[in-house]
Amino acid sequence: MPRPRVATLSKYLLSGQFSTRGCLRLEARALPIVARNPLHLTTRPLHTETVSSRDNAPPPIHVPLRKQLKDEAKKQKALGKKKKKNANNQVVDGWELTVGIEIHAQLNTAKKLFSPATTSFNDDPNTHVAYFDLATPGSQPIFQKETLIPALRAALALSCDIQSVSRFDRKHYFHWDQPSGYQITQFYEPFARDGTITLQARDGIAAEDGDGVSIGIKQIQMEQDTAKTLAQPGNAHWIDFNRVGVPLIEVITLPDIHHPATAAALVRKVQILLNAADACVSGMEAGGLRADVNVSVRRSDDPSAPLGQRTEIKNLSSFKAVEDAIIAERDRQISVLESGGTVESETRGWSIGSTETRRLRGKEGEVDYRYMPDPDLAPVIIGDDLVSHLRQSMGELPDAEVDELIQRFGLTPKDALSLVALDGGKRIEYFWNVVDLLTQRFGPDANSLKYLPGYQLAANWILHELGRLTSERSEDAAQDLGFTEDGQCHRVPAIHLADILLYLYQRKITAKIAKELLWAVFRKKIPDEYPTINAVLDEENLWFDELNEDEYVELALAAAEGQDDIVKQFMNFKQYPQGKLMFMVGRMIRLGAEERIDPKEAERVMKRVLEEELVPAIKSQG
């Protein structure tokens, strides 16, 4: 039989129509078979005829999220639509907001949920597709047991009760991104229930929630992802079936959230926990996690009244979008009710930078999906020994790690959270590697308080200075630092950063030289041109030969010559003239050898000279 035409494939995949000349099938010799299971077909790519328009289509241009937000804000401003300015947009007097969230996260697995096809995120479209993924007649789902492991780790990280027996159901609906006409999920008997997430003030919750709040998790269920739709000019859509069948978990919270900022904090916390448990492929920024929010409002003067009619906002792809969309939908519902209208049950959408949600479709009730047990899949039996093993091997979760960073190194909660959250937990592993190297260099008493500033310096540089290497203002903005799971960094190896920080802490080099060395490492001049940090410092004579105390004093007196008007401002002041002090320090640096001056020491000496010599001299003249 000849290869089916593209039109035939399109009718089957997009409309569910079979050819009148018989079933869509391939030649028998083209179907390799797994020896141990004659019904289990091996994975093969979906091949189609080349479409000339696709060859000529320009590659999609990636637009950074920040630029999208700015462009959308400019567009809204041009249309006369400005965001409402509200000093406290978390509450509206007389109304109570209630929010429940459904979070969909792609599991960190090598195979799809019900087929042996490999998971793919950046490969060519339609190159990782099995027969079941396309709902080819005769193909059946085969549960891939290894996909259960990251799902269980996620449930344990979210403090859920693992169910010993769970089952799969079919959720019926027809759309071109779901060839079978139904999604396999766990509606009735999920594998995990009754979890809890505790949010603290440092997580970014609304001030109205005080020091902390607990959010209940109703259930976590495994399910399939859908195909990826790529919109094209001319109202055309291309479908990439690589994503069909990729395993997801859906985390469903209870309606315990009452403030938009707390909702965003919850999604952020779930992402951090899933990354820490090695359960999730990537976060919101890379499309590995999406959130749907259910929003309702009711009058706050009657707490016993039933919750208001809820609406659902689909596919929110950033933490800011979660908060902004909830605020917009809350305000819309309140406006409808105050004008005497009725809030309809519907699904709504949200665009980046928008000021209001938009209606997508009327909300389908549960009965419309016609849930039914999947007759082709057996129950999933989870042994207590497996759950116990995974619980014992979970390791330290983010809250405990944040507490350690705050208590051991004196970091602020904001910096500690950032370290733990950045790069999917890889940057904090890099930090621990640098700390270990510094500990070796500090010697036997490395844990004493005198070395605390050294560890704080490491945290500051790993958070901020490394970020500047690839910031938008950098020539190397498009490059990646290359953090790995074990805490290594391809562009800035931990051993080089530890050397730089050690010498900076010991004041053997200046901050300026330290930053230049960091750039040299990032651009591979070290080790390509110089083997080590010590080698470049020796060859280029970059060691810090600091002025002694007498030389600092002499330089301060020289900088003060002819500056009597400035010196007089340090007499009888109501507020210390710090700006004038820094002006005098700047004169010291310009007059002296900059490579031998520590700005902090120069500031200390100049302040002492002003107080002990220059100001008394002027007073004695008066």
Side-chain angles (χ1 to χ4, degrees):
M1 179 179 175
R3 176 178 293 177
R5 297 185 302 111
V6 172
T8 305
L9 283 169
S10 298
K11 287 181 179 179
Y12 170 63
L13 295 176
L14 303 181
S15 304
Q17 299 176 2
F18 292 96
S19 170
T20 55
R21 292 175 291 178
C23 290
L24 182 65
R25 58 188 175 87
L26 302 177
E27 293 182 27
R29 60 183 175 83
L31 301 178
I33 296 176
V34 177
R36 290 181 295 177
N37 187 349
L39 296 178
H40 189 169
L41 302 179
T42 59
T43 305
R44 60 173 294 162
L46 173 66
H47 297 283
T48 59
E49 296 176 2
T50 302
V51 181
S52 59
S53 62
R54 180 169 180 173
D55 294 336
N56 298 329
I61 299 174
H62 171 69
V63 181
L65 177 61
R66 182 178 296 179
K67 188 175 188 308
Q68 293 180 47
L69 290 170
K70 288 181 178 178
D71 292 345
E72 186 64 30
K74 289 178 182 178
K75 188 186 299 182
Q76 295 295 330
K77 185 177 181 180
L79 294 173
K81 296 180 179 179
K82 294 184 179 180
K83 288 190 176 182
K84 297 178 181 178
K85 293 194 175 180
N86 189 342
N88 183 7
N89 55 13
Q90 298 301 308
V91 295
V92 176
D93 291 341
W95 293 91
E96 180 189 55
L97 168 72
T98 301
V99 177
I101 303 181
E102 299 168 5
I103 299 172
H104 304 263
Q106 291 180 352
L107 291 174
N108 185 12
T109 64
K111 293 183 178 181
K112 294 186 178 181
L113 191 55
F114 298 113
S115 80
T118 56
T119 53
S120 162
F121 302 99
N122 299 311
D123 293 341
D124 293 336
N126 298 319
T127 55
H128 296 278
V129 186
Y131 293 114
F132 177 73
D133 300 331
L134 300 176
T136 306
S139 63
Q140 288 191 329
I142 300 176
F143 179 58
Q144 306 297 310
K145 297 177 183 178
E146 56 267 41
T147 62
L148 183 62
I149 302 303
L152 289 174
R153 287 201 299 262
L156 292 172
L158 298 174
S159 304
C160 290
D161 294 333
I162 306 300
Q163 308 299 297
S164 58
V165 179
S166 61
R167 292 179 170 83
F168 288 104
D169 309 300
R170 292 182 179 181
K171 175 183 178 181
H172 292 85
Y173 68 93
F174 186 78
H175 198 258
W176 58 56
D177 61 6
Q178 188 63 269
S180 61
Y182 59 85
Q183 178 192 37
I184 301 178
T185 182
Q186 291 186 316
F187 181 73
Y188 292 114
E189 297 184 58
F191 77 96
R193 296 182 186 271
D194 303 328
T196 303
I197 298 181
T198 301
L199 300 175
Q200 302 179 47
R202 70 191 186 197
D203 294 314
I205 62 176
E208 290 78 5
D209 282 320
D211 294 333
V213 61
S214 292
I215 309 298
I217 295 176
K218 178 183 177 183
Q219 64 187 53
I220 303 180
Q221 56 201 44
M222 298 184 73
E223 60 187 27
Q224 301 169 293
D225 206 346
T226 58
K228 186 175 182 179
T229 301
L230 304 171
Q232 302 298 316
N235 199 29
H237 294 85
W238 290 349
I239 310 299
D240 179 9
F241 288 99
N242 282 350
R243 203 176 72 179
V244 164
V246 168
L248 302 177
I249 54 170
E250 181 177 2
V251 181
I252 304 174
T253 75
L254 295 173
D256 294 339
I257 305 169
H258 301 289
H259 302 100
T262 302
L266 172 82
V267 179
R268 186 185 302 111
K269 187 67 170 282
V270 169
Q271 175 173 303
I272 292 173
L273 287 168
L274 294 183
N275 283 331
D278 195 26
C280 190
V281 172
S282 59
M284 275 192 153
E285 67 283 351
L289 188 142
R290 307 185 294 275
D292 304 338
V293 297
N294 293 279
V295 180
S296 69
V297 297
R298 67 178 173 182
R299 297 279 183 181
S300 58
D301 54 5
D302 185 8
S304 62
L307 296 177
Q309 176 61 58
R310 74 182 186 212
T311 58
E312 184 178 26
I313 309 172
K314 301 286 285 186
N315 291 327
L316 299 174
S317 57
S318 72
F319 308 127
K320 187 176 189 303
V322 170
E323 183 172 359
D324 290 349
I326 291 173
I327 291 172
E329 179 59 17
R330 175 201 64 192
D331 293 347
R332 185 194 71 85
Q333 291 187 19
I334 292 174
S335 178
V336 169
L337 294 173
E338 287 182 339
S339 62
T342 302
V343 175
E344 296 181 5
S345 175
E346 58 188 2
T347 299
R348 301 184 69 84
W350 175 259
S351 299
I352 291 176
S354 182
T355 57
E356 54 190 28
T357 60
R358 65 185 187 281
R359 187 181 192 277
L360 297 179
R361 58 185 178 271
K363 182 72 174 173
E364 296 179 272
E366 293 173 359
V367 67
D368 294 330
Y369 288 124
R370 302 187 308 283
Y371 286 99
M372 60 169 281
D374 193 305
D376 296 329
L377 289 165
V380 178
I381 312 298
I382 303 173
D384 292 339
D385 55 343
L386 173 60
V387 176
S388 177
H389 172 73
L390 292 176
R391 182 176 281 112
Q392 293 172 5
S393 60
M394 278 289 288
E396 191 175 43
L397 289 177
D399 276 340
E401 196 160 32
V402 169
D403 290 338
E404 182 178 3
L405 292 173
I406 293 172
Q407 296 167 9
R408 180 177 171 186
F409 301 114
L411 301 188
T412 65
K414 180 180 179 181
D415 283 351
L417 279 168
S418 298
L419 261 182
V420 170
L422 281 174
D423 300 296
K426 297 174 185 176
R427 194 171 298 208
I428 184 61
E429 294 301 323
Y430 178 73
F431 169 76
W432 289 120
N433 286 340
V434 173
V435 166
D436 289 342
L437 291 169
L438 286 175
T439 300
Q440 296 172 16
R441 287 158 171 75
F442 288 155
D445 58 343
N447 292 324
S448 65
L449 287 177
K450 69 178 182 180
Y451 292 116
L452 183 61
Y455 298 122
Q456 292 173 338
L457 186 66
N460 181 62
W461 271 57
I462 291 170
L463 265 180
H464 304 294
E465 296 301 332
L466 290 188
R468 291 188 179 97
L469 299 177
T470 55
S471 68
E472 291 185 356
R473 297 180 182 179
S474 165
E475 297 176 0
D476 304 271
Q479 300 190 38
D480 182 38
L481 286 170
F483 289 107
T484 62
E485 296 289 345
D486 59 350
Q488 300 302 318
C489 180
H490 296 311
R491 300 305 303 272
V492 185
I495 189 170
H496 293 326
L497 182 61
D499 285 338
I500 294 172
L501 294 174
L502 175 68
Y503 296 141
L504 180 59
Y505 166 74
Q506 294 175 337
R507 298 179 63 191
K508 293 182 178 181
I509 59 176
T510 64
K512 180 180 178 181
I513 295 300
K515 292 175 183 178
E516 290 177 357
L517 289 172
L518 181 63
W519 277 105
V521 172
F522 179 70
R523 290 171 176 157
K524 298 187 177 181
K525 290 185 178 180
I526 302 170
D528 290 353
E529 298 179 18
Y530 305 92
T532 63
I533 298 295
N534 285 56
V536 67
L537 289 171
D538 290 336
E539 290 184 33
E540 302 298 332
N541 193 26
L542 298 176
W543 294 103
F544 182 35
D545 180 19
E546 188 177 5
L547 300 177
N548 59 39
E549 185 76 8
D550 292 338
E551 289 172 324
Y552 270 121
V553 171
E554 183 181 350
L555 189 58
L557 292 171
E561 289 182 5
Q563 301 296 321
D564 290 352
D565 291 341
I566 298 293
V567 175
K568 288 178 181 178
Q569 296 186 38
F570 290 86
M571 301 168 55
N572 304 320
F573 52 81
K574 292 183 178 180
Q575 182 176 358
Y576 190 83
Q578 183 67 24
K580 298 303 180 183
L581 175 64
M582 298 313 297
F583 168 77
M584 299 291 281
V585 172
R587 283 181 57 81
M588 287 180 66
I589 294 174
R590 289 192 295 273
L591 288 172
E594 182 180 354
E595 69 277 4
R596 297 188 62 196
I597 298 174
D598 181 351
K600 290 186 177 180
E601 277 299 297
E603 179 184 352
R604 180 188 65 80
V605 173
M606 175 57 79
K607 186 174 183 180
R608 183 175 68 80
V609 169
L610 281 166
E611 293 174 352
E612 297 179 1
E613 298 187 35
L614 298 177
V615 171
I618 291 179
K619 285 181 177 179
S620 64
Q621 294 173 4

